[in-house]
Amino acid sequence: MKVAIISGSVYGTADEVARHAVSLLNAAGHEAWHAGRATLQDIEGFAPQALLAVTSTTGMGELPDNLMPLYSVIRDVLPAAWRGLPGAVIGLGDSSYGDTYCGGGEQLRELFAELGVREVLPMLRLDASETVTPEADAEPWLAEFAAAIQG
């Protein structure tokens, strides 16, 4: 299964989780692709059969600046080819921020729902106040994701 991984990061942690996801998904027999500053054309050129989004949260629960241009284009275009694709989201945040915890991830979940992407697993929330190794903490969830999109 061809898996496109979209990521947004402020300090690089979400991008590191995304790169780790590429390795794990490839090892599980999928063809995973990730580009830090991907455009919609890049993603469509890859022709994904599944989608994974990994994002941190900034400010008052917003997406990182490096993901906003792609998010806006996807929201404007609403790629029809993505309807029905399996997908899921990994959200990074800090639970001490209360209501805005993993707000960036929630925005991507809403976008995926609007696009008709089938959520195959509930969003993984990685809490910066509880972990120093988010990529390792994501491994069990990523193994479930790899199995869920097997087809």
Side-chain angles (χ1 to χ4, degrees):
M1 175 95 39
K2 294 176 73 171
V3 185
I5 302 174
I6 300 165
S7 71
S9 202
V10 178
Y11 301 111
T13 307
D15 288 336
E16 186 57 39
V17 172
R19 284 189 292 274
H20 194 59
V22 168
S23 298
L24 293 175
L25 291 169
N26 286 340
H30 297 289
E31 182 185 343
W33 173 88
H34 168 256
R37 292 195 177 263
T39 65
L40 180 57
Q41 291 77 17
D42 294 336
I43 297 166
E44 288 179 328
F46 176 69
Q49 298 166 306
L51 299 166
L52 175 62
V54 183
T55 187
S56 57
T57 301
T58 66
M60 298 302 297
E62 291 110 19
L63 291 167
D65 288 344
N66 69 332
L67 186 54
M68 280 307 299
L70 177 60
Y71 174 85
S72 296
V73 168
I74 292 170
R75 179 163 232 154
D76 290 346
V77 173
L78 297 173
W82 295 8
R83 180 163 298 285
L85 293 184
V89 176
I90 298 175
L92 288 80
D94 187 325
S95 61
S96 67
Y97 284 86
D99 291 350
T100 62
Y101 173 54
C102 290
E106 289 295 346
Q107 284 184 52
L108 288 176
R109 281 185 75 215
E110 289 169 14
L111 179 62
F112 276 10
E114 200 175 317
L115 292 167
V117 173
R118 270 186 312 109
E119 186 176 61
V120 295
L121 282 180
M123 181 172 75
L124 174 63
R125 296 169 180 268
L126 296 172
D127 189 347
S129 66
E130 292 182 2
T131 183
V132 292
T133 56
E135 58 282 346
D137 292 349
E139 288 178 4
W141 186 94
L142 285 164
E144 280 187 65
F145 177 75
I149 61 172
Q150 206 64 28

